[in-house]
Amino acid sequence: MPAEHTAVDAADEAAVAAQLGRTPRGLRAVAHRCPCSLPAVVQTAPRLPDGTPFPTLYYLTCARLNSRIGGLEADGRMREMTERLDTDPDLADAYRRAHQAYLAERDAIEPLGTQVTAGGMPSRVKCLHVHVAHALAAGPGVNPFGDETLVELGDWWTPGPCVSPPA
């Protein structure tokens, strides 16, 4: 696992379950932690425990961040971003590179035999949650729409943990 990713322990799994409101599936690592130390993004296995393909490598778990991103999606941000792909070749190239990086990282774990990544990559934007998760897990400069969304959201973590840390 990449150096910035950490193994999932029982407290992480409990925190993610509280964030999601359900038992998490296919957890491989914590890919990004909030400043409060709880997981914000987890890396999931390319296949769920029952063998079902799950192409979403990075899954956003922070309830507060999920809610704030949902507001941007409701405002039509994905449509605006998709339209920009047709008019900004540099942005389209950066987005294509994000897709390729996501696919290469997932396939290094387990190839699914598909070019499908997540979030509409590389031709449209259909889920900002995926792009933010990718940006937080990979760091700045990898996913342009994830980076852009994080800048727009600002300090989303400042009110404190999104759930009570597990005992």
Side-chain angles (χ1 to χ4, degrees):
M1 90 185 56
E4 63 276 358
H5 294 186
T6 58
V8 177
D9 63 22
D12 292 332
E13 192 165 345
V16 171
Q19 290 168 324
L20 299 177
R22 63 171 173 78
T23 302
R25 302 174 297 162
L27 293 181
R28 286 184 41 84
V30 175
H32 181 80
R33 289 185 184 277
C34 288
C36 72
S37 80
L38 291 178
V41 177
V42 294
Q43 183 188 66
T44 58
R47 290 188 189 278
L48 296 175
D50 69 359
T52 303
F54 191 69
T56 304
L57 180 62
Y58 293 114
Y59 200 87
L60 188 64
T61 62
C62 174
R64 179 178 299 117
L65 186 52
N66 271 314
S67 177
R68 299 228 8 228
I69 292 168
L72 294 178
E73 288 184 346
D75 285 344
R77 202 68 90 249
M78 298 172 304
R79 179 184 36 77
E80 295 167 10
M81 290 173 166
T82 298
E83 289 171 358
R84 288 174 36 218
L85 289 172
D86 291 333
T87 60
D88 186 337
D90 292 336
L91 178 62
D93 285 343
Y95 194 51
R96 195 170 9 269
R97 286 190 305 274
H99 163 73
Q100 292 165 344
Y102 198 101
L103 184 62
E105 190 172 351
R106 189 191 68 214
D107 284 355
I109 297 166
E110 180 180 355
L112 292 178
T114 179
Q115 295 295 304
V116 172
T117 49
M121 290 188 278
S123 60
R124 64 189 177 113
V125 180
K126 75 174 198 175
C127 179
L128 292 181
H129 299 83
V130 166
H131 298 297
V132 167
H134 188 207
L136 288 172
V142 176
N143 188 310
F145 290 125
D147 291 346
E148 182 178 308
T149 302
L150 284 167
V151 167
E152 185 171 355
L153 291 172
D155 296 341
W156 49 269
W157 63 85
T158 56
C162 63
V163 296
S164 296

